[in-house]
Amino acid sequence: MNNSAMYSGSTSQKLKIYTIYWLGYILLFSLIQGLPTADFLRALSNEFYSVFPKILFVLLIVEVAMPVLFFQKKKTLFIFTYILSILFFAFIQRLIDNYIIIAYNLTEWKSEPLLSAPVYLYNVIKLQFVVTIPLAIKLVYYLAEEKNRVQKILSEKLKAELFSLRNQFHPHFLFNVLNGLYSKILSKSDDSADIVLKISDFLRYSVYEVNTKHIPLEKEIEYLKNYISLQQLRFDNRLELSFSTNGIIKNQVIEPFLILPFIENSFKYCLNDTNSQAWITISITASEEWLSIKIENSLSSNCMKNKNSETQYSGVGINNVKRRLELLYPNQHILTIKNDVDSFFVSLKIKINDIP
């Protein structure tokens, strides 16, 4: 079995690997200490007496301190915990040495003071030795998992970009935008130049700026505004739309294409290409800790007739966002989707204070 199974498998697998590891440790040190005096059995019993503090120390560091502190980028607190733990368990080891092993098993030996530097340091070194291998395996497995996670993120991001680009450059969408621009030009509307500028910014963002890992939240919102403005050309006065932002902080960043699929979805299902009326409400609010996005839209008559499940309206883009959120913000996001009789509601909260 691969060593990483010690950390990736079930509790029973971990228990099995740890058991093998500790038995190997006990046999090794029993041989080291027992062979010179040809008294292997007594050395073996001594190791059994002293192994329990070592087990507790390793479990504390490897199974608790590393996941909770080290892997959460709290390295200073991890080092402080490590030093205190190794000193504490070395002292416990000294108590076992003096009051159990020497008192009952090595009676011919003279006990040393509990804080005697040489023997205390020897116990610290043994604790350091016994934790090194499990700690190294844990770290190697964590790095491998992080590499795999980054690869998955890049893969999902690429899928999201390709999916979004496919939607944005779909002939139906472009034809509607160009037709809207054409009608504005014919009527000599003052909005024509602004529409051209929005198209330019929209295409530039989609092709170039989205390649960065993180983008400023303000830039993402500006992109969304351009997308919404261009979509409104398609529906003229048939769409009642509310878009609001609150508390946006300039230095906040976000992964690209996380919000757009939900907005694309709202336009897709709120209106048919008929004379029906529809509405969309979009709210983006940022605090120091959370980014909150709420999107609600009416459903077209066709959607209400064919409605059977929430997943009917999720689509490839929404499923992609769900996977990306799980990879990018594990345990740091809340996604709520409600499919009512005549409306569709999405609420997404992302914890942004830990965004690198």
Side-chain angles (χ1 to χ4, degrees), residues 133-173:
I133 295 176
L135 190 147
I137 296 174
K138 184 82 167 182
L139 183 59
V140 168
Y141 177 72
Y142 170 77
L143 293 175
E145 286 287 288
E146 280 296 294
K147 183 179 179 181
N148 185 52
R149 177 173 167 269
V150 169
Q151 289 175 341
K152 287 182 179 179
I153 289 173
L154 292 175
S155 175
E156 295 298 335
K157 180 182 177 183
L158 178 60
K159 290 179 183 177
E161 291 173 5
L162 292 175
F163 179 81
S164 187
L165 286 172
R166 184 186 69 186
N167 283 348
Q168 293 161 23
F169 294 105
H170 192 281
H172 186 69
F173 172 72

Side-chain angles (χ1 to χ4, degrees), residues 74-279:
K74 300 175 182 178
K75 294 183 174 60
T76 302
L77 188 55
F78 172 79
I79 293 172
F80 181 73
T81 302
Y82 185 92
I83 293 173
L84 283 183
S85 298
I86 201 169
L87 293 176
F88 172 76
F89 283 101
F91 180 76
I92 298 298
Q93 194 70 63
R94 290 294 300 122
L95 292 174
I96 294 174
D97 289 343
N98 275 7
Y99 298 110
I100 296 179
I101 295 176
I102 293 178
Y104 297 101
N105 211 26
L106 297 175
T107 54
E108 70 276 13
W109 284 31
K110 180 182 177 181
S111 61
E112 297 286 342
L114 289 176
L115 299 179
S116 174
V119 289
Y120 193 90
L121 181 60
Y122 173 73
N123 283 319
V124 169
I125 293 172
K126 286 189 72 174
L127 287 168
Q128 177 62 50
F129 173 84
V130 81
V131 79
T132 297
I133 295 176
L135 190 147
I137 296 174
K138 184 82 167 182
L139 183 59
V140 168
Y141 177 72
Y142 170 77
L143 293 175
E145 286 287 288
E146 280 296 294
K147 183 179 179 181
N148 185 52
R149 177 173 167 269
V150 169
Q151 289 175 341
K152 287 182 179 179
I153 289 173
L154 292 175
S155 175
E156 295 298 335
K157 180 182 177 183
L158 178 60
K159 290 179 183 177
E161 291 173 5
L162 292 175
F163 179 81
S164 187
L165 286 172
R166 184 186 69 186
N167 283 348
Q168 293 161 23
F169 294 105
H170 192 281
H172 186 69
F173 172 72
L174 286 178
F175 288 157
N176 277 288
V177 170
L178 293 176
N179 285 335
L181 175 60
Y182 179 69
S183 64
K184 294 288 185 181
I185 293 174
L186 286 179
S187 62
K188 297 182 179 181
S189 170
D190 294 335
D191 297 333
S192 302
D194 186 53
I195 292 173
V196 173
L197 183 61
K198 288 181 184 297
I199 294 174
S200 174
D201 290 341
F202 177 78
L203 297 179
R204 183 184 300 111
Y205 180 94
S206 300
V207 177
Y208 298 110
E209 296 185 19
V210 78
N211 291 326
T212 57
K213 182 179 180 182
H214 292 115
I215 57 172
L217 181 57
E218 284 185 320
K219 185 174 289 187
E220 174 78 354
I221 290 174
E222 189 62 32
Y223 167 73
L224 295 175
K225 287 179 179 178
N226 287 340
Y227 174 80
I228 291 169
S229 297
L230 295 175
Q231 277 281 21
Q232 283 182 294
L233 291 175
R234 171 184 171 189
F235 301 115
D236 295 324
N237 297 322
R238 293 190 293 121
L239 177 66
E240 181 182 342
L241 190 139
S242 172
F243 183 93
S244 63
T245 59
N246 295 285
I248 304 301
I249 300 174
K250 290 185 177 181
N251 60 359
Q252 290 178 342
V253 294
I254 189 173
E255 282 278 333
F257 289 123
L258 279 180
I259 304 175
L260 180 63
F262 297 110
I263 295 180
E264 287 178 337
N265 217 48
S266 65
F267 278 99
K268 181 178 180 181
Y269 291 109
C270 73
L271 274 172
N272 301 323
D273 290 325
T274 62
N275 295 322
S276 59
Q277 298 291 317
W279 55 268

